[in-house]
């Protein structure tokens, strides 16, 4: 992916041991397509050399407001005017205090103060000891920085370089990268609460066996991530899959279709959009044996009886909130042929305003896919692409339809 292609990031380093992580972050931003200009404070240079950052960014590092390389001798103006964002990582407690007071006695703070506030966003990734983080002065500064328009990227929790354990670590480079990518996505779902079901279900036969399917959960996880990037609060009810939880998404793990139904119905109560991507088993064994079913010498096969699982999507689509338009429901259909015909019929059968069709065998476990969106007005194709790109386009399509449904002309 090249999610930051065309973006120019000024990466500011201030004094803290987390500077070692900033080297990895610089690399990760560049790998994602960004150009990166590093600016360091004097304290940052105590922790990591400008040479390392120059080599990684392929640009000379700036560390002084008196840098005569700039023709007008105004690096604070020039560097901030060309940036799509200024990212301070790590941001020390002292540097936060400086930003807050509008002090400008070194290049980085001067540049932050001189940036055009409406067009050059300031992203802050704090890093400090847990006591410093918890101190009322720091928390007060944080709140004021946000009120002044800075975006706080949060902190991690855990073992700290000082030997103590708690909040205040800088987020990991990959987490910061995801947050920066998310920052640049259009906030088309701001204020919405999206519920996504994803992955397969597992219907137990006995304590060691069960029935499941080949769904990888990748499409549902991509939709959860895209919805979060678009500004929504996201709950992801996931069947048994080994996928990392997208940043900022609340994940509820379930196993069987019955568990998924309970959790999805529960979360649907607060949701405004429901996207059902899970490949829910249609049937489950009528009963689960308490002990492992053993082969016996008779040669007879065990007789398994099945009962049908409740349709989660149809159940939620029939709820009063969905019927009143407070909850917009989106179904998925994995078909093997005649996609348009089957998707059209399934949309009506499930009672949902939008159904997304795809060819099942071509997508299960794959990293890319193509989608066919069917609603009351007809069909729209989203051409083959990787699942995150498809998810972002689908989120934009859902946002449009949801707005139209909420405010009919
Ligand atoms: N779905 C659900 N609960 C179920 C079964 C399906 O929520 N018990 C949802 C899926 O998440 C998906 C949609 O319904 O959004 C389509 O499911 P699918 O299994 O393809 O539909 P069926 O009605 O089972 O149709 P068929 O088996 O004939 O293809």
């Amino acid at each position: 992916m090249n999610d930051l292609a065309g973006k120019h990031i000024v990466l500011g380093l201030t004094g803290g041991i987390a500077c070692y992580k900033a080297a990895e972050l610089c690399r990760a931003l560049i790998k994602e397509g960004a150009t990166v200009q590093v600016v360091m404070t004097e304290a940052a240079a105590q922790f990591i050399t400008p040479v390392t950052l120059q080599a990684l960014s392929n640009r000379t590092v700036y560390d002084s407001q008196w840098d005569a390389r700039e023709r007008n001798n105004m690096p604070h103006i020039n560097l901030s005017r060309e940036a799509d964002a200024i990212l301070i990582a790590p941001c020390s407690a002292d540097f936060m205090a400086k930003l807050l007071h509008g002090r400008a006695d070194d290049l980085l703070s001067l540049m932050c103060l001189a940036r055009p506030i409406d067009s050059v966003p300031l992203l802050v990734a704090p890093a400090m000891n847990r006591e410093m983080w918890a101190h009322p002065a720091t928390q007060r500064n944080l709140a004021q920085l946000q009120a002044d328009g800075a975006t706080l990227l949060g902190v991690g929790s855990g073992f700290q370089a000082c030997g103590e354990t708690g909040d205040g670590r800088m987020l990991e480079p990959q987490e910061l990268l995801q947050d920066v990518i998310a920052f640049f996505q259009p906030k088309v779902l701001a204020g919405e609460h999206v519920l996504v079901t994803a992955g397969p279900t597992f219907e137990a036969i006995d304590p060691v066996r069960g029935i499941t399917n080949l769904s990888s959960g990748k499409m549902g996880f991509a939709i959860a991530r895209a919805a979060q990037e678009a500004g929504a609060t996201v709950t992801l009810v996931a069947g048994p899959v080994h996928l990392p939880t997208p940043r900022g998404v609340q994940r509820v793990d379930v196993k069987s279709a019955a568990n998924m139904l309970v959790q999805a119905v529960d979360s649907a109560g607060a949701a405004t959009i429901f996207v059902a991507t899970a490949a829910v088993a249609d049937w489950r064994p009528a009963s689960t044996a308490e002990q492992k079913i053993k082969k016996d010498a008779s040669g007879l096969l065990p007789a398994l009886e099945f009962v049908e699982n409740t349709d989660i999507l149809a159940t939620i689509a029939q709820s009063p909130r969905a019927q009143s338009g407070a909850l917009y429901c989106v179904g998925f259909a994995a078909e093997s042929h005649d996609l348009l015909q089957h998707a059209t019929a399934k949309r009506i059968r499930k009672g949902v305003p939008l159904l997304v069709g795809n060819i099942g065998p071509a997508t299960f476990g794959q990293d890319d896919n193509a989608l066919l969106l069917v609603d009351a007005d007809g069909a729209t194709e989203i051409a083959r692409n990787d699942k995150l790109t498809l998810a972002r386009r689908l989120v934009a399509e859902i946002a449009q339809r949801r707005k139209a449904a909420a405010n009919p002309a």
Side-chain angles (χ1 to χ4, degrees), residues 325-367:
L327 173 64
Y328 186 86
C329 294
V330 182
F332 262 70
E335 306 292 347
S336 60
H337 60 288
D338 295 334
L339 187 55
L340 177 60
Q341 191 191 334
H342 283 121
T344 306
K346 198 166 282 182
R347 186 184 82 81
I348 293 164
R349 198 165 70 241
K350 302 262 179 182
V352 293
L354 177 63
L355 195 115
V356 182
N358 59 140
I359 296 292
T363 174
F364 276 12
Q366 303 293 313
D367 288 324

Side-chain angles (χ1 to χ4, degrees), residues 276-278 280-282 309-313 331-335 346 349-350:
T277 70
V280 184
D282 287 323
N309 280 323
T310 305
D311 190 315
I312 302 169
L313 175 61
F332 262 70
E335 306 292 347
K346 198 166 282 182
R349 198 165 70 241
K350 302 262 179 182

